[in-house]
Each structure stands twice: as C-alpha cells, then as structure tokens.
C-alpha cells in the first residue's frame, strides 16, 4: 500500500476567489480566445481551426501557427512557480536563504563581497 503523501497548505480557495487562471489561444497571430477564465493551470485545451484560416495558410504557404498560453494573476503564478525548489523568486525567503548561503561560501573561500546599493548610497 503506498504511503500517504503530505498535502501542502493551500494559498487560496477557488470557491472564494473565483478563477485566477486564464487561457489565451491564437491562430496565425489572431486571438480566438482571450484570457478565457479557467479553474486551474493544468488544462487540456482544444483549438478548432476554421476552414478559412486553414485555407488562407495553405494559399500563402506559410503554415498554420496555433499558440495556447496559460497564465494567471501575478500572485497565483508566483505560488505555482514556488512549487519548484529551484525557483528563487523576488522578495521570498528561499532567495534570502540562497544569498545567505552564497555569502557564507564566499567568506569561506576568502572572496571579497561587493558592497550593496545601501552601503554605497547611505
């Protein structure tokens, strides 16, 4: 029997905040769905290409370009990115820990640390 995985703490409740993610689809650079609200970023999205777009691409011999972009508001995107332990986002404790460890390593190697902006402009 597999071991039960420990769940992470949620950062928002969809029932209270509504859809915080969106999907945008374009065909040959023309938007066909612009920031269509979705519940979560893990989606299966189907793009139906019209016969006019397909025919236009064939006549102009430039191929058919379909692009699907999933995004969201800045706060929720940051939450998703922080699920990766290697992500060092701005103004977060993980970045501060990384910089502290880097400074310790530089001190151990006897490397001079360049002054920060606060130290040069009091």
């Amino acid at each position: 029997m597999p071991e039960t995985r420990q769940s992470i703490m949620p950062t928002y409740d969809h029932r209270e905040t509504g859809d915080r993610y969106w999907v945008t689809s374009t065909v040959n650079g023309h938007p066909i769905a612009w920031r269509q609200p979705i519940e979560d970023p893990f989606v299966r999205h189907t793009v139906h290409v019209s016969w006019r777009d397909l025919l236009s691409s064939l006549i102009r011999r430039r191929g058919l370009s379909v692009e699907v972009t999933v995004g969201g508001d800045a706060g929720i995107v940051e939450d998703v990115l922080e699920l990766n332990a290697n992500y060092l986002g701005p103004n977060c404790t993980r970045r501060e820990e990384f910089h502290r460890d880097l400074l310790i390593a530089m001190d151990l190697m006897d490397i001079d640390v360049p002054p920060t902006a606060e130290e040069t402009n009091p």
Side-chain angles (χ1 to χ4, degrees), residues 22-76:
W22 45 261
V23 64
T24 295
S25 304
T26 63
V27 173
N28 289 334
H30 302 289
I32 57 172
W34 178 255
R35 291 195 173 194
Q36 181 180 0
I38 55 175
E39 189 172 328
D40 64 68
F42 309 103
V43 298
R44 179 176 182 267
H45 185 72
T46 304
V47 176
H48 298 280
V49 179
S50 73
W51 64 269
R52 288 183 181 177
D53 288 327
L54 184 57
L55 186 60
S56 171
S57 294
L58 288 172
I59 291 172
R60 294 182 182 164
R61 296 182 183 206
R62 61 179 173 152
L64 182 68
S65 172
V66 177
E67 181 179 325
V68 177
T69 305
V70 177
D73 64 55
I76 200 68

Side-chain angles (χ1 to χ4, degrees), residues 7 65 116:
S7 296
S65 172
T116 62

